[in-house]
Amino acid sequence: MPSRNECQRQWTRLRHFLGQTKISTKITCLYAAILFVILIFTSIIMGIGVYASFYHQSETEIHISMEHIRNRLSDGDHLGDILNSENFVLPGVILSVTDITGQVIYKNDMHYPSLATIEAHRVKNPPFWANRSMEVSKLDKFSLYHATMNVMDEGQIYQLHFFRTITAEQGFLAHLQRVLFLITIIGFLIALLAGYFLSSRILKPIRDLTQTARKIEVERMDRRIEVPPVHDELAELAITFNHMLDRLEAGFRQQQRFVSDASHELRTPVTVILGYSDLLSRWGSSDKEVLEEGISSIRTEAEDMQQLIEKLLFLARADQKRQVIHKEYLELSELVDAVVRKMKFAVGKHSLTLGENDEGRIFADPVSMRQMLRIFLENAVKYTPDGGHIQVSSKCMPGEQIMQVEIADDGIGISSEDQGKIFDRFYRADPSRTKAVGSVGGTGLGLSIARWIADQHGIQINLVSELGKGSTFLLKIPLVEEAEACGELEHE
Ligand code: ADP
């Protein structure tokens, strides 16, 4: 007997082999194996059924014959008269009568094997479907049932032996067995072929999928899998795979655009810095004015570059879900007040006023919230000519758990075509005009960052703007609970 280790090794080898086998081969084998088991099972059941019905039929015939003789004896007939009459047993049932000494005194079929022969061939363990009150003997060519009944006639005890051949149809049964075996083998082969054919057909889309996946490269991301016309699991897989490719392609294109835009943005300050360093190397030592202008311009460009890099890093961290957000309970009015107060030092010739500032508690990251408000305020300053007005207010919405923060300016405004795009990365509405206002060039990243922060806090941003008239950004900030002031307003 193989040892436990040997068994484990064999099992590991089998698993390794199955792991390397193609799915189609696995399905074919499984399909054929299942059908094989079903065929074997039905053949066995059929065989047992046929045998059991033969046994049952023989048993019934013996019982009827016994019953008939018993009835006639109880009606007063003598055994001799019964044996001399016709049809005292059913056709096929053999009767042998012995006296008290065991001597055979009557037999209705002289060619039938003797009692001794039948007894010598008695089966010790008859099949489970055989009647336990009868005996089964198995001779060379056939099996037979045997039942005994004792009767009393004219003061003498006689033993009546009833026999019935069970499998006289031996030839038929052997034939049946051969046919069943042949059907099983043919069925198995058909199952193998059909399984192979079906699994090859069913798995074709998967093979196509593999082929397409192999062909997809960075340069050829537009390839898609052909979706089968029927809506089954494989069609679903193909659709899902195509959707995944759509997303990957979009992400990849966005990444490409991002890299090229970022490089483009960085090229300008680097060129300016290089230009000024050339100027400084030539005239810097002799001309003090050139020296000062050069140093100050290089510093400005370097600061712009630093800001741009900070923003790029922020978005990169956000994309990788590494940008840290620590939310806590805050008083929004205090936050708005603090940001506006600080911003007042940087508005130059603009006027910045804070109107209504309702109280309301929010659950948010204070650093990000300040950064977001600053982006809107800095834009308002950047895109509003000197002397313009910037108005901030924070109003609670009666019946809603929302605070609406408004940042309004009377600056250059945003055209309706641009309004849907200004939140895209690096998008700037008409850069030439932008530069003209206060000569402050933007990067086109501020609003992307603001929108990311808003999304992290469930804040909805709406924009109302008209070219030449100004812009109003409306931020709907969710409150932890309905603002008290609004509650009072509602009750009034
Ligand atoms: P930038 O660094 O260019 O300001 P943003 O992403 O913050 O980048 O803004 C994108 C564009 O949206 C700006 O270039 C500008 O054209 C437009 N914009 C943003 N805010 C305003 C505003 N308050 N008034 C007019 N235009 C604005």
Side-chain angles (χ1 to χ4, degrees):
M1 222 174 101
S3 68
R4 219 185 131 163
N5 279 352
E6 181 58 27
C7 283
Q8 261 178 356
R9 223 173 298 133
Q10 295 286 358
W11 174 237
T12 319
R13 224 175 285 158
L14 180 72
R15 274 179 41 187
H16 180 72
F17 169 73
L18 286 176
Q20 303 224 319
T21 316
K22 281 178 164 185
I23 292 184
S24 55
T25 316
K26 277 187 210 161
I27 293 178
T28 307
C29 291
L30 193 75
Y31 187 66
I34 291 173
L35 203 83
F36 186 67
V37 170
I38 292 173
L39 281 172
I40 292 273
F41 187 69
T42 35
S43 300
I44 290 173
I45 294 286
M46 228 166 106
I48 290 177
V50 169
Y51 271 88
S53 78
F54 280 146
Y55 270 73
H56 183 71
Q57 192 187 339
S58 310
E59 185 192 315
T60 315
E61 285 176 11
I62 288 179
H63 270 305
I64 292 173
S65 302
M66 285 169 105
E67 204 53 38
H68 178 71
I69 293 182
R70 204 180 283 126
N71 287 344
R72 284 191 63 181
L73 283 171
S74 55
D75 285 349
D77 284 356
H78 291 295
L79 184 61
D81 297 336
I82 298 169
L83 297 178
N84 280 330
S85 65
E86 278 185 8
N87 301 331
F88 54 89
V89 286
L90 285 179
V93 175
I94 311 297
L95 176 67
S96 188
V97 184
T98 54
D99 61 15
I100 195 142
T101 61
Q103 193 73 29
V104 177
I105 55 161
Y106 176 83
K107 203 172 177 186
N108 68 347
D109 184 346
M110 286 306 164
H111 305 291
Y112 215 68
S114 68
L115 271 177
T117 315
I118 292 170
E119 185 55 33
H121 288 86
R122 190 158 62 85
V123 175
K124 283 206 185 82
N125 299 310
F128 68 86
W129 55 83
N131 190 319
R132 299 286 138 200
S133 68
M134 296 191 183
E135 281 167 4
V136 177
S137 292
K138 218 172 200 141
L139 282 90
D140 281 350
K141 294 214 164 53
F142 59 93
S143 304
L144 54 87
Y145 246 152
H146 175 197
T148 317
M149 179 174 92
N150 288 333
V151 294
M152 176 87 97
D153 186 42
E154 294 178 344
Q156 291 283 337
I157 294 174
Y158 298 97
Q159 206 168 28
L160 272 59
H161 305 270
F162 294 85
F163 305 103
R164 169 70 167 86
T165 307
I166 304 168
T167 50
E169 297 82 354
Q170 197 98 4
F172 163 72
L173 286 172
H175 189 66
L176 181 76
Q177 270 173 358
R178 273 199 301 277
V179 169
L180 286 178
F181 178 71
L182 212 72
I183 287 177
T184 307
I185 296 295
I186 292 174
F188 179 67
L189 291 176
I190 291 176
L192 266 183
L193 280 175
Y196 181 73
F197 176 73
L198 281 177
S199 60
S200 311
R201 270 201 73 109
I202 290 170
L203 295 175
K204 189 179 171 294
I206 293 190
R207 280 199 300 279
D208 291 351
L209 205 118
T210 315
Q211 294 268 322
T212 315
R214 264 199 207 119
K215 282 183 201 150
I216 291 168
E217 287 164 27
V218 172
E219 297 83 40
R220 305 248 20 211
M221 283 201 94
D222 54 336
R223 278 174 184 267
R224 292 293 177 271
I225 289 171
E226 209 179 298
V227 179
V230 280
H231 193 83
D232 57 7
E233 286 88 342
L234 288 170
E236 221 168 278
L237 177 67
I239 292 170
T240 312
F241 190 79
N242 284 345
H243 280 169
M244 185 192 76
L245 286 178
D246 288 345
R247 287 197 302 276
L248 277 179
E249 192 185 2
F252 184 71
R253 301 264 173 262
Q254 193 188 358
Q255 197 72 18
Q256 270 183 334
R257 217 177 317 126
F258 189 67
V259 171
S260 93
D261 286 347
S263 326
H264 188 76
E265 287 300 322
L266 285 167
R267 205 165 56 183
T268 320
V270 170
T271 316
V272 174
I273 289 173
L274 282 174
Y276 274 110
S277 36
D278 271 356
L279 196 74
L280 285 177
S281 67
R282 252 182 269 157
W283 315 106
S285 52
S286 53
D287 191 332
K288 195 159 180 279
E289 217 172 285
V290 171
L291 182 72
E292 273 170 13
E293 192 203 326
I295 291 175
S296 130
S297 299
I298 286 175
R299 190 179 170 79
T300 313
E301 291 301 327
E303 275 170 4
D304 280 359
M305 234 160 80
Q306 192 188 24
Q307 269 187 24
L308 175 67
I309 290 167
E310 287 298 330
K311 286 177 180 168
L312 285 173
L313 281 174
F314 182 100
L315 287 170
R317 279 197 301 270
D319 286 348
Q320 292 167 13
K321 309 218 173 345
R322 284 194 301 115
Q323 182 58 41
V324 191
I325 291 272
H326 285 303
K327 289 189 183 175
E328 55 189 77
Y329 291 100
L330 303 169
E331 178 49 54
L332 183 62
S333 57
E334 287 171 13
L335 192 118
V336 172
D337 188 58
V339 174
V340 171
R341 238 178 316 121
K342 263 199 182 162
M343 197 64 202
K344 276 192 174 157
F345 297 106
V347 292
K349 292 178 182 141
H350 302 81
S351 81
L352 171 61
T353 44
L354 174 60
E356 191 178 332
N357 188 13
D358 288 344
E359 287 181 0
R361 272 164 69 72
I362 56 166
F363 185 62
D365 175 33
V367 180
S368 311
M369 287 299 284
R370 276 196 285 270
Q371 189 178 359
M372 182 184 72
L373 290 175
R374 257 200 320 269
I375 290 172
F376 289 111
L377 282 170
E378 280 169 5
N379 277 350
V381 174
K382 264 195 285 183
Y383 304 112
T384 303
D386 285 350
H389 300 91
I390 299 155
Q391 174 83 26
V392 180
S393 67
S394 180
K395 293 176 201 157
C396 60
M397 304 273 104
E400 288 179 65
Q401 254 176 258
I402 279 174
M403 188 74 83
Q404 181 162 289
V405 176
E406 275 185 36
I407 300 128
D409 63 57
D410 53 1
I412 60 170
I414 306 162
S415 69
S416 45
E417 313 92 73
D418 285 334
Q419 285 180 20
K421 299 179 195 157
I422 54 168
F423 290 93
D424 293 349
R425 290 177 188 187
F426 293 107
Y427 189 82
R428 275 176 285 173
D430 193 356
S432 56
R433 192 190 55 208
T434 305
K435 274 267 180 195
V437 181
S439 67
V440 189
T443 56
L445 292 177
L447 288 182
S448 309
I449 293 175
R451 192 180 55 180
W452 184 85
I453 297 171
D455 287 346
Q456 299 308 303
H457 292 85
I459 299 171
Q460 193 189 322
I461 306 174
N462 291 328
L463 168 64
V464 182
S465 183
E466 204 179 317
L467 262 185
K469 292 208 171 149
S471 315
T472 303
F473 285 89
L474 303 152
L475 313 181
K476 289 193 170 158
I477 305 176
L479 294 173
V480 179
E481 70 238 3
E482 199 181 329
E484 251 175 54
C486 275
E488 280 163 21
L489 269 178
E490 218 183 8
H491 295 309
E492 273 168 18

